[in-house]
Amino acid sequence: MAGKNKLVSPFIKWVGGKRQLIDKISPHLPKQLSAYTYIEPFIGGGAVLFHLQPKKAIINDFNAELINVYLTIRDDVEALIAHLKSHENTSDYFYTIRSLDRLEGFKQKGLIDRASRFIFLNKTCFNGLYRVNRAGEFNTPFGRYKNPNIVNEPTLRAVSRYLNESEVSIFNGDYAQVLDLADRKSFVYLDPPYHPLSESSNFTGYIEGGWNESHQIRLKEACDDLTDRGIKFLLSNSSAPFILDLYQNYSTTLVKANRAINSNGAGRGKVDEVLIRNYEL
C-alpha cells in the first residue's frame, strides 16, 4: 500500500506482538489487499495494522484499557503526551500508579489519565509484560529500566494522524461482533491468545479470565463461518498439536518466531508458530 509512514508503528510492547514476524506474514497476505476492508479482532499492539496502514479498517480488542489508549491517541494525542511527561521512573511511583486499578472508582477516572497510566506501566514494567490477575488488576512488577522511552512523541503523533486520516473503526468487546461486520470485500487477520505449547509455557494473562481449549474451538468455528461466507482470513497461533489438529482442513505454514516471555533467559529463543489461511496464494 502506497504512502506508508514508517513512524506509524506499535506504541507499546505486547506479548505475541508481530513486529518481528511482519516479513514472514506479508507473503501470506492476499494479493490486492488494498481492495479489502482490513479487520483485526485482536488488535493488541497493532504491528500488522501499522505495517499495512490500510485506508479502511475495523479493529477490536477485549481489553478495554488498551482500546482506550487507541481512542485517546486518535482523539487527544497532545493531552496524552503532556500527561505522559508527568510520570516518574521510580519503584515507589510505579507501584502507586499500578495500584490504582485496585481502588474504587478507577473506571470513572479520566480517559487520558487511564491511557497515560497504561503506556507508563507498559514501558516501565518488567519485560513490557501486560498481565492481569483474575480480578483484572495489573500485576507485573517494576522493570528497573534506566531510561525507558515513556514518551515516544513522533510515533504517538504519527499513529494519531493515521487513525484520523484513514477510515478506522475502533471497537471494544468480543471478537464475534466485528466478524459479523465482515463481508466478501473484507480480509480478516486473527491474532488471538495462543494455545500453550506446554503447561509451563501457558500465558493468557492479558485478558481477564484467560483463554482455554473451548475458546480456541469457538474461534475455529468462527473461522469456519468466515469460510462459509466467502471471507478470507489469516490466523496466527502456536504450533501446538491441538491447534494443528483443529485446523487440519486449512492451509498451514510454520514460521519461526522469537519467544519473548520466559522467566528463565535460557528458555527464550526461536519457537514455531503457525499461519493458517482459507485462501490460495
Side-chain angles (χ1 to χ4, degrees):
M1 298 182 183
K4 291 194 291 187
N5 180 353
K6 291 183 179 179
L7 288 175
V8 177
S9 60
F11 47 83
I12 53 170
K13 301 176 182 179
W14 202 250
V15 173
K18 294 299 178 288
R19 191 185 301 209
Q20 296 179 357
L21 273 178
I22 289 295
D23 290 343
K24 296 178 180 178
I25 291 173
S26 294
H28 295 88
L29 296 171
K31 296 178 176 64
Q32 299 178 324
L33 186 59
S34 60
Y36 295 89
T37 296
Y38 177 83
I39 300 179
E40 189 166 353
F42 306 90
I43 189 64
V48 177
L49 171 77
F50 295 143
H51 172 74
L52 297 174
Q53 295 173 39
K55 293 300 182 184
K56 188 173 182 180
I58 299 171
I59 64 174
N60 173 77
D61 205 277
F62 189 75
N63 188 318
E65 293 303 305
L66 172 65
I67 289 301
N68 176 56
V69 178
Y70 278 90
L71 292 171
T72 302
I73 290 173
R74 183 192 68 186
D75 298 338
D76 208 348
V77 70
E78 293 305 324
L80 175 61
I81 288 171
H83 197 288
L84 284 168
K85 291 178 179 179
S86 70
H87 291 298
E88 304 170 14
N89 183 35
T90 66
S91 178
D92 287 346
Y93 180 83
F94 173 89
Y95 286 109
T96 297
I97 298 300
R98 195 187 78 164
S99 69
L100 292 178
D101 61 7
R102 278 99 169 140
L103 303 178
E104 188 175 348
F106 172 70
K107 295 295 185 183
Q108 284 70 53
K109 286 185 70 68
L111 300 182
I112 292 170
D113 287 6
R114 284 166 52 190
S116 178
R117 171 184 180 270
F118 188 104
I119 293 176
F120 166 73
L121 292 177
N122 178 266
K123 294 301 180 72
T124 56
C125 73
F126 177 73
N127 231 17
L129 177 60
Y130 185 91
R131 185 184 66 196
V132 296
N133 59 24
R134 290 191 177 276
E137 299 164 343
F138 189 88
N139 65 355
T140 310
F142 185 52
R144 302 190 181 280
Y145 302 115
K146 289 186 177 180
N147 190 28
N149 188 14
I150 298 170
V151 195
N152 190 344
E153 295 184 51
T155 290
L156 290 171
R157 290 194 177 103
V159 169
S160 180
R161 194 174 306 115
Y162 165 68
L163 293 176
N164 279 285
E165 294 178 354
S166 302
E167 190 178 339
V168 182
S169 300
I170 304 175
F171 291 86
N172 165 225
D174 186 83
Y175 62 85
Q177 70 174 343
V178 294
L179 294 184
D180 286 343
L181 301 175
D183 58 27
R184 288 175 178 265
K185 294 181 179 179
S186 304
F187 167 70
V188 180
Y189 173 61
L190 298 150
D191 187 22
Y194 278 18
H195 192 70
L197 289 169
S198 66
E199 287 301 317
S200 63
S201 69
N202 190 7
F203 176 78
T204 53
Y206 26 67
I207 58 170
E208 186 177 340
W211 263 51
N212 56 32
E213 287 190 1
S214 67
H215 294 97
Q216 299 288 358
I217 291 170
R218 177 178 176 243
L219 179 59
K220 192 267 182 180
E221 292 169 348
C223 289
D224 291 342
D225 180 65
L226 290 174
T227 301
D228 292 342
R229 291 158 58 197
I231 299 165
K232 292 182 172 66
F233 78 81
L234 179 68
L235 180 144
S236 294
N237 211 316
S238 75
S239 60
F242 173 77
I243 295 297
L244 296 176
D245 182 65
L246 193 61
Y247 289 93
Q248 60 182 298
N249 294 326
Y250 289 98
S251 298
T252 59
T253 304
L254 290 177
V255 296
K256 293 285 187 184
N258 287 318
R259 179 183 296 172
I261 57 165
N262 194 308
S263 57
N264 177 2
R268 301 174 191 167
K270 297 289 186 180
V271 63
D272 281 336
E273 293 188 6
V274 66
L275 295 174
I276 300 163
R277 68 183 191 278
N278 67 346
Y279 52 89
E280 297 298 322
L281 295 175

